[in-house]
Amino acid sequence: MATSQVVIFGASGDLTGRKLIPSLLRNFAEGALRDDIQVIGVSRSEKSDKQWRDELDAWIPASLKDAWVTFRAHLTWCQANSANPEHMEHLEHHLDSLARDRGARPEEVGRLFYLALAPSLFDPTVQALDVRRMLECTPGSKVGWRRVVVEKPFGVDLESARALNQALLRYLREEQIFRIDHYLGKETVQNILSLRFQNAIFEPLWSRKHVESVEISVCETVAMEGRRGEYYDKAGATRDMLQNHVLQVLSLVAMEPPSSMRADAIRNEKVKVLDALRAFTEHDIMEHVVRAQYTSSATRDRGYLDEYGVNPKSETETYIAVRALIDNWRWSGVPFMLRTGKALSKRYTEVVLNFRTPPLDLLNGPQPGDVCPLRPNRLRLLIQPQEGVRLSFLVKQPGAGMIMRYSELGFDYSDLETGETPDAYQRLLLDALEGNATLFIRGDEVEAAWRFVDAIRHGWNHSSAPVHTYPAGSMGPRIANELYQGCEGTWGTGPEDA
Ligand code: NDP
Ligand code: BG6
C-alpha cells in the first residue's frame, strides 16, 4: 500500500477515542499498517498535536501501550470546521506538507476521509472538500485515491437516505463511498459467508424445504448510559438497530450464493434479499410486529421514560420484534423472527435456523408416550459475546427404552487459539484503506432497508398498534412470543440454550 493519510473529521469525539484510534493502532502494532501511515485529526477545537495525543492516552488499552509510543508520532491535529471550504484549504495545505515531509508527492498519496461527525455534517463536509477539489482521483488507480467513510445513521428514513445518497453522488463515485455498519466487520458475521459458501453440507438444507423458521436476536443489557437518551429518543430500536445491523445480518443469512467474492457480486445478492422483504401494511402490522419500552424494575430503578434526554411522554420503542417474510423462491413462507432491545436480561447476538421436524414421529407413535417429543434440529450461529457455531439434534439416552434427549455439536472460536478477536473497526478501516468495499453498504442496500423499516413506522402511525412495556432486566414483553404462533420453535434464550 502506498503512503496513506487517514483524515478523521470529528476527531475530538467519542467514536474516534473509543474505536477509531485503538483500531488503527492495533493494525499498526500487528504490522497491517505501514510505517508511513499518517493520521490527521480534525475538529473545530483548537489543540496542539501533543494535546490531542495526550487526550487519546486514556483510550489506549494496556496491551497496546508500547506500540502507542511509536504510533502517536503519526498523529497530527488540524483545527477546522469541516463544513467551511476555506478551512478545507488550510487542511489541504496541512495534508500536502505532511506528504512532502515523507518525501511523497501529495497527488500520489491515498486519502481516507472518515466522517465521524453528526449526520447533518456529512453532506456539507463532502461539499466543502469538493469545492477544494480534494475528492478528485483517477478511477481504479492504486495511488492518489480519495475515499470517504460515512458513519451511521445513514438517513432517518427512505427519503432522507435517498437525498443523502444523491448528495454524496454529486461529488463522489459510488466506489469512493464506504458506508459503514460495524456489524459487518465482526468476524462471526463474516463467518456466515464462509460457513454457507465454503461448506457443501449446509447449503442444500438452507431453504424453505428444510428450514421452518430463522431467528436473529440482537439482545443488549445496556440502556441509555446516561448520555444517549436524546439521540435514541429520535431513533428507537427500529432505526438504531433493526434498519442496519439486524437487516445486514439477515441479508447475509438469506442471500443467494454470489458469483464471486467481489464486493458488487455480494452486494447484488444482499440487495435482492432486502428488496424481497415483504413491506407490512397498517392492517398486518399488529400480527407481525411488537414494539415495547422498558420500565423500571427490581434490577433497574430508571425506566425509559425517566432517562435523561428522553421525552417523558415518548412512544419510542426500546424493543422491537418482527415476524418478517421474504417473498422469494428460497424463503417463501419461512418466518424470519427478528428481535432487538435494550435493558434486557442478557447480552447476546445469535442467528438460529430451526429446521423442520421429521414428517413422522415414529418413536412416539400415534399415542404419544413419555419419550421426548420431536423438536426441530437447530443450527445456531453465536455472534457475540460467545463466538461459535452449534448444531443440535436428538439422541437416544443410554439405557432401557427409547428416551430421547437434546445434544449439540459445537465449535468455539476460542478453541482456535488465534488470540483476541479483532474489533470490527480494525478490519473495516483496513478494508477501506485497501479499497475493499465488500463489508460496506452500497447505496441501494441502504435504501432497500429503509423501505422495509419505513413501512413498519408508517403502520405504527396509521394503526392502533400499542407500545407494550417490559421490566428492565427481562427478555422483553411476553406478547412477542405470539409472533412464533403457528411455527415450530420459540425465541432462544442465549448461548447456554439447549
Ligand atoms: P461526538 O459528538 O462525540 O463527536 C463529534 C465531534 O464532531 C465533536 O467532537 C465535535 O468536535 C466535532 N464537530 C462538530 N462539528 C464539527 C464541524 N463543523 N467540523 C469539524 N468537527 C466538528 O460524536 P461521536 O464520536 O459519538 O459520533 C460521531 C459519528 O459516529 C456520528 O455520526 C455517530 O452517529 C456515529 N457513531 C458513533 C458511535 C459511537 O460509539 N460513538 C457508534 C456508531 C456510530 P468540536 O466541537 O471540537 O468541533
Ligand atoms: C450501535 C448502536 O450502532 O450499535 C448502539 O447505536 C448499540 O445503540 C451498538 O448499542 C451495539 O453494537 P455492539 O457491537 O456492542 O453489539
Side-chain angles (χ1 to χ4, degrees):
M1 205 190 294
T3 301
S4 314
Q5 295 178 328
V6 181
V7 183
I8 305 177
F9 291 108
S12 50
D14 178 73
L15 182 70
T16 305
R18 222 157 43 81
K19 293 288 183 187
L20 304 184
I21 296 297
S23 297
L24 286 168
L25 170 60
R26 207 177 286 276
N27 279 328
F28 181 76
E30 290 173 5
L33 286 182
R34 290 186 357 174
D35 202 34
D36 53 2
I37 185 84
Q38 297 176 328
V39 182
I40 299 89
V42 184
S43 94
R44 294 164 306 175
S45 305
E46 185 181 357
K47 47 183 123 215
S48 66
D49 297 345
K50 178 170 183 322
Q51 254 173 316
W52 185 41
R53 296 169 187 166
D54 289 350
E55 281 168 17
L56 291 170
D57 279 349
W59 296 101
I60 308 301
S63 58
L64 292 173
K65 290 282 184 205
D66 286 349
W68 177 234
V69 174
T70 319
F71 187 64
R72 53 181 271 145
H74 294 247
L75 273 60
T76 55
W77 185 256
C78 178
Q79 182 191 4
N81 176 347
S82 66
N84 185 334
E86 284 167 26
H87 291 202
M88 292 302 102
E89 184 177 355
H90 167 54
L91 173 65
E92 191 176 23
H93 290 319
H94 183 89
L95 298 179
D96 288 356
S97 85
L98 283 174
R100 289 195 196 95
D101 288 349
R102 284 270 167 187
R105 291 169 52 200
E107 59 278 17
E108 287 180 354
V109 170
R111 286 182 182 155
L112 185 69
F113 297 103
Y114 198 115
L115 308 185
L117 292 163
S120 57
L121 285 166
F122 294 165
D123 178 14
T125 302
V126 173
Q127 209 174 326
L129 287 167
D130 178 69
V131 171
R132 294 289 314 159
R133 305 177 68 169
M134 287 169 76
L135 298 169
E136 285 180 4
C137 61
T138 314
S141 174
K142 294 254 185 281
V143 293
W145 49 263
R146 304 289 182 256
R147 297 178 194 132
V148 176
V149 179
V150 188
E151 258 300 339
K152 68 160 278 214
F154 197 94
V156 293
D157 55 15
L158 176 58
E159 197 186 337
S160 54
R162 210 176 254 160
L164 182 54
N165 270 334
Q166 284 166 359
L168 296 178
L169 287 167
R170 275 203 287 274
Y171 316 112
L172 295 155
R173 296 182 302 280
E174 176 63 38
E175 72 267 19
Q176 291 178 277
I177 308 172
F178 287 67
R179 297 172 195 80
I180 206 161
D181 182 316
H182 77 278
Y183 265 59
L184 294 179
K186 290 182 192 277
E187 284 289 330
T188 42
V189 171
Q190 292 162 46
N191 192 41
I192 296 172
L193 290 179
S194 48
L195 186 91
R196 287 191 59 193
F197 303 130
Q198 290 301 107
N199 295 290
I201 58 169
F202 297 116
E203 204 45 31
L205 302 176
W206 212 272
S207 74
R208 65 190 301 277
K209 204 164 162 203
H210 299 284
V211 177
E212 167 87 23
S213 64
V214 179
E215 174 184 331
I216 301 175
S217 280
V218 182
C219 302
E220 296 191 280
T221 49
V222 292
M224 295 305 111
E225 302 159 79
R227 62 183 168 89
R228 298 201 74 212
E230 205 178 326
Y231 151 77
Y232 194 87
D233 207 31
K234 292 193 206 88
T238 312
R239 285 171 164 146
D240 184 50
M241 297 291 286
L242 180 75
Q243 187 274 340
N244 39 77
H245 308 323
V246 178
L247 291 186
Q248 281 301 312
V249 173
L250 174 141
S251 63
L252 294 178
V253 171
M255 69 191 259
E256 294 299 316
S259 56
S260 76
M261 289 304 272
R262 277 185 305 106
D264 270 337
I266 291 179
R267 300 193 297 181
N268 287 344
E269 299 307 333
K270 284 169 66 196
V271 80
K272 281 187 211 158
V273 171
L274 295 170
D275 273 338
L277 273 170
R278 190 181 299 177
F280 301 123
T281 65
E282 60 231 56
H283 304 296
D284 49 24
I285 195 103
M286 303 263 255
E287 219 180 294
H288 287 267
V289 186
V290 168
R291 59 172 164 170
Q293 250 177 21
Y294 64 86
T295 55
S296 61
S297 69
T299 56
R300 191 183 177 86
D301 56 8
R302 256 173 210 265
Y304 179 65
L305 298 181
D306 314 315
E307 298 279 10
Y308 177 75
V310 170
N311 175 351
K313 295 203 172 121
S314 173
E315 292 210 322
T316 298
E317 73 293 346
T318 59
Y319 174 99
I320 180 168
V322 184
R323 181 186 168 110
L325 291 167
I326 299 175
D327 290 328
N328 67 13
W329 198 262
R330 183 186 285 258
W331 294 115
S332 178
V334 178
F336 275 69
M337 313 297 292
L338 316 176
R339 158 176 83 155
T340 182
K342 299 268 187 216
L344 299 177
S345 58
K346 292 181 193 168
R347 172 180 180 252
Y348 73 88
T349 299
E350 74 176 25
V351 177
V352 186
L353 274 82
N354 290 305
F355 290 94
R356 293 191 188 283
T357 50
L360 277 181
D361 189 355
L362 285 176
L363 285 178
N364 288 297
Q367 253 78 53
D370 60 355
V371 294
C372 174
L374 284 180
R375 286 169 71 181
N377 295 117
R378 287 185 310 177
L379 181 66
R380 294 195 296 144
L381 315 181
L382 313 184
I383 308 287
Q384 65 179 21
Q386 225 167 307
E387 300 176 320
V389 179
R390 302 272 187 281
L391 179 63
S392 57
F393 44 84
L394 290 169
V395 291
K396 179 185 173 302
Q397 186 166 295
M402 287 291 271
I403 313 285
M404 295 291 127
R405 56 185 292 176
Y406 227 31
S407 190
E408 268 191 346
L409 281 177
F411 152 75
D412 280 293
Y413 268 80
S414 52
D415 294 343
L416 295 180
E417 292 177 0
T418 46
E420 223 175 289
T421 309
D423 186 85
Y425 278 92
Q426 196 183 332
R427 165 71 192 260
L428 295 174
L429 277 162
L430 212 52
D431 280 3
L433 280 165
E434 284 169 358
N436 181 357
T438 311
L439 301 178
F440 293 83
I441 305 171
R442 209 169 55 188
D444 51 352
E445 279 184 75
V446 183
E447 292 184 16
W450 275 121
R451 209 168 289 124
F452 176 70
V453 160
D454 275 8
I456 295 178
R457 298 186 58 80
H458 178 87
W460 284 338
N461 292 339
H462 293 85
S463 72
S464 51
V467 182
H468 298 279
T469 57
Y470 59 100
S474 68
M475 277 308 279
R478 284 223 182 90
I479 195 162
N481 296 337
E482 290 181 13
L483 296 177
Y484 257 101
Q485 251 172 27
C487 64
E488 292 286 344
T490 51
W491 294 106
T493 57
E496 69 283 6
D497 194 8

